[in-house]
Amino acid sequence: MPEIRRDPISGEWISLSGDRQTRPLTVSGHLLACPFCPGPTTEVGLHAFQTAVFDNRFPAFDRPGASEIVVYSPDHWADLSTLSRDHLGAVWSAWHHRTQALGGRPDVAQVFIFENRGTKVGASIAHPHGQIYGYPFVPPRMQREGETWPDPCPLCRDDSPKLVERTLLATPDWRLVAPWAARMPFQLTLYPRAHHSDITTVDYQSGRDAMGILQVVYALYDRWFGHKTALVMALYQAPSHLFGRERYHLRFDCLPIERGPEKIKYLAGSELAMGAFVGDMLPEQVAASLRPLMQTAKGEL
Ligand SMILES: [Zn+2]
Ligand SMILES: [Zn+2]
C-alpha cells in the first residue's frame, strides 16, 4: 500500500510504494497476459462493456485518495484516437461521473484524469486506457495556479499575446492553442471558451466535441512525428474543496515527449532539479508548422 510522505525540505507530498515494482508489464502486446482484455480472470471479466472504470490494483493513492483505471474499450488494439463518436461519449460520461463521485469525497482534494500514451511515458500495459488519481492533497502546481491567476482568468482573456498565431482550432465551445509559455516543445492546450472550473458543468454534447478535438490532436501528432506518439494527456480541473476553486478554468494539456522525429525532450538539470523548463522552439512556430496538417488530421477521423 502506498505511503504519502511530506518532504521536509521542499514541503512537497510524495506517494511511495514498496510493492509497485511488481506491476504487470504487457507492453509487448501478449494478449493472453493482458489484464484489461475481456476474459474470465482479467480485471474487466466477461461482462460486455464500452468503457470500464475500476480501482487500480497497484494504487499510487488509496484512502485517503484514490487511483482508478479507465479502460477505453474492450478492443486491445484501439486507441483514444480511433474510437467512434458514440464511444467517445461513453469515455466522457465515465470521466464526468468519476469527477463528481471522487470530487464529492472529503479525502480527495484533487481529481486528476490523465493518459500516459506509449511505453516511453511509462504506460506499463498496452491496452488503451487512462487513469484517474484522487490526490489526498492539492498538488503544488494546482496550488500555485490558483494563487497567481488574475481576474478575468488567463484563459478567458481574448487579448493574450499572439493568440491568433497560436490558435490551431476554434469552435463555438472550444479553443485549441499552442500555449504562450509551453513547457514541452509540442505542447497543445484545449480549453472551453466559457469559464468552466471542472467538467461537471460541461454538457455531454460539448464534452464529446472536446474529445473529438483530442482525437484530431492525437492524429496530428502521429502524422507529424510519423508514428504513434508518446505523450501525456492531462485534464486540469479545479481542486475539489479549495476556497476560491471557481477561479480555475479547466483545460486539457497534451504533452508529447518528443521535440522532433526520433528526438526526445529529456527532463534534465533545470527541469528535474529546479522545475524550470527550458525550450528550443516558440509555440507560435510550433502552431505554424502543425497548421498545414490540421485538415489532413481532421480528415482522418
Ligand atoms: Zn488487452
Ligand atoms: Zn476562465
Side-chain angles (χ1 to χ4, degrees), residues 45-284:
L46 286 167
H47 297 286
F49 71 95
Q50 242 186 333
T51 295
V53 182
F54 46 87
D55 284 333
N56 191 334
R57 203 198 287 220
F58 298 90
F61 303 98
D62 188 26
R63 300 271 178 183
S67 300
E68 298 182 342
I69 303 279
V70 183
V71 171
Y72 297 147
S73 159
D75 177 4
H76 189 85
W77 306 108
D79 182 73
L80 192 70
S81 64
T82 64
L83 301 182
S84 69
R85 205 170 148 69
D86 173 54
H87 205 139
L88 287 179
V91 178
W92 175 264
S93 297
W95 286 353
H96 187 120
H97 177 254
R98 296 319 298 157
T99 299
Q100 238 161 6
L102 292 173
R105 271 173 41 180
D107 63 318
V108 172
Q110 173 78 54
V111 180
F112 178 45
I113 293 170
F114 65 102
E115 178 182 353
N116 296 327
R117 186 186 193 230
T119 52
K120 286 183 192 149
V121 288
S124 51
I125 292 171
H127 197 111
H129 71 284
Q131 299 190 59
I132 304 177
Y133 279 0
Y135 292 96
F137 52 84
V138 179
R141 159 170 290 275
M142 299 310 289
Q143 188 81 47
R144 233 173 21 236
E145 284 189 5
E147 284 162 6
T148 56
W149 280 16
D151 185 28
C153 98
L155 294 178
C156 279
R157 298 175 69 104
D158 282 335
D159 61 349
S160 88
K162 303 202 172 173
L163 184 62
V164 175
E165 291 98 308
R166 292 185 292 105
T167 297
L168 279 170
L169 186 73
T171 69
D173 284 357
W174 298 89
R175 190 189 280 276
L176 174 69
V177 300
W180 170 243
R183 277 168 291 144
M184 295 298 274
F186 282 86
Q187 179 177 352
L188 294 179
T189 299
L190 173 67
Y191 59 93
R193 298 177 79 166
H195 189 91
H196 290 277
S197 297
D198 62 42
I199 63 171
T200 62
T201 54
V202 177
D203 70 45
Y204 175 81
Q205 205 71 32
S206 181
R208 202 168 57 168
D209 288 350
M211 299 206 61
I213 300 172
L214 283 181
Q215 288 192 313
V216 173
V217 173
Y218 279 33
L220 187 65
Y221 287 143
D222 291 354
R223 227 183 150 76
W224 176 261
F225 290 111
H227 54 248
K228 187 171 168 178
T229 308
L231 60 87
V232 171
M233 186 276 291
L235 170 50
Y236 293 89
Q237 316 193 66
S240 316
H241 314 294
L242 199 71
F243 178 74
R245 69 182 300 280
E246 63 286 345
R247 278 199 308 267
Y248 289 82
H249 190 135
L250 88 85
R251 70 181 191 276
F252 295 89
D253 269 1
C254 290
L255 302 151
I257 60 163
E258 285 161 73
R259 57 189 172 87
E262 305 304 322
K263 287 186 193 150
I264 302 280
K265 159 72 183 168
Y266 288 105
L267 300 190
S270 188
E271 292 86 359
L272 262 184
M274 295 302 270
F277 281 73
V278 177
D280 308 314
M281 298 168 83
L282 294 175
E284 47 275 30

